[in-house]
Amino acid sequence: MINPKKIEDIAKQITESIPPSVKSVATDFENKAKQVLQNKLSQLDVVSREEFDVQTQVLIKTRAKLEEMTAKIAELEEKLNQQQK
């Protein structure tokens, strides 16, 4: 997920680039910009790094189990073929 701190930093940089005479407008803009960015980013179909890492480990284990089962099936098919001869 996107780090809220980075969003805050971007909004702060925008605010700091605005002249002091419009600081109150800038503050309102910063708050609205943060809110809009957070809302839009939360709507993205993404997963956290932790979730991704967990699913990667699950996939590794699943592949290993599939390879094991494939080898076992091949072994059993070979035995069956030998018994039928």
Side-chain angles (χ1 to χ4, degrees), residues 3-7 10 15 18-19 23-24 27 31 38 41-42 46-47 51-53 64 70-71 73 76 81 83 85:
N3 186 347
K5 177 75 171 130
K6 288 186 181 189
I7 294 171
I10 292 169
T15 302
I18 297 174
K23 272 295 193 201
S24 65
T27 302
N31 291 335
Q38 287 174 342
L41 290 172
S42 69
V46 296
V47 296
E51 227 178 315
F52 178 82
D53 290 342
T70 301
I73 289 171
L76 291 171
N81 287 335
Q83 287 177 355
K85 289 182 181 181

Side-chain angles (χ1 to χ4, degrees), residues 25-77:
V25 174
T27 302
D28 290 342
F29 177 77
E30 178 182 358
N31 291 335
K32 292 290 183 187
K34 275 196 269 186
Q35 184 180 20
V36 169
L37 284 170
Q38 287 174 342
N39 286 341
K40 292 300 177 185
L41 290 172
S42 69
Q43 293 173 357
L44 294 176
D45 190 18
V46 296
V47 296
S48 68
R49 182 66 196 189
E50 181 181 345
E51 227 178 315
F52 178 82
D53 290 342
V54 167
Q55 290 304 315
T56 299
Q57 293 302 315
V58 169
L59 181 58
I60 289 169
K61 289 178 184 177
T62 302
R63 283 182 179 164
K65 187 69 173 175
L66 178 60
E67 288 172 5
E68 178 185 319
M69 292 172 73
T70 301
K72 184 67 173 175
I73 289 171
E75 179 184 322
L76 291 171
E77 286 176 340

